[in-house]
């Protein structure tokens, strides 16, 4: 079963000790299945994500940020 990206949410963790941002776009299907996570880095929001429903930003801990990145990497 394939899922189509429908919803995006930006997870914002505190900057790392070097001042680098820890932000990620978490992409969900319409039924709430985690599809992908894109580390924002310094590139900003990709154009194609602007077409999805946006849940807005949420503040997360550095641990939560690392965990969502791991979940995405494990899916690949």
């Amino acid at each position: 079963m394939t899922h189509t990206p429908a919803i995006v949410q930006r997870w914002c963790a505190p900057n790392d000790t070097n001042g680098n941002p820890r932000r990620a776009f978490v992409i969900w299907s319409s039924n709430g299945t985690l599809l992908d996570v894109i580390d924002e880095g310094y590139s900003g929001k990709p154009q194609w994500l602007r077409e999805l429903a946006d849940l807005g930003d949420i503040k997360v801990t550095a641990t939560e940020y690392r965990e969502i990145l791991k979940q995405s990497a494990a899916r690949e």
Side-chain angles (χ1 to χ4, degrees), residues 30-50:
S30 59
N31 70 354
T33 302
L34 174 63
L35 299 179
D36 200 4
V37 178
I38 300 171
D39 190 0
E40 181 179 18
Y42 290 102
S43 61
K45 190 174 193 176
Q47 184 63 37
W48 70 273
L49 288 180
R50 297 168 200 257

Side-chain angles (χ1 to χ4, degrees), residues 2-23:
T2 61
H3 296 282
T4 304
I7 304 165
V8 64
Q9 186 173 42
R10 186 168 172 247
W11 286 29
C12 306
N15 290 354
D16 68 15
T17 56
N18 294 320
N20 297 314
R22 288 191 277 207
R23 314 284 185 268

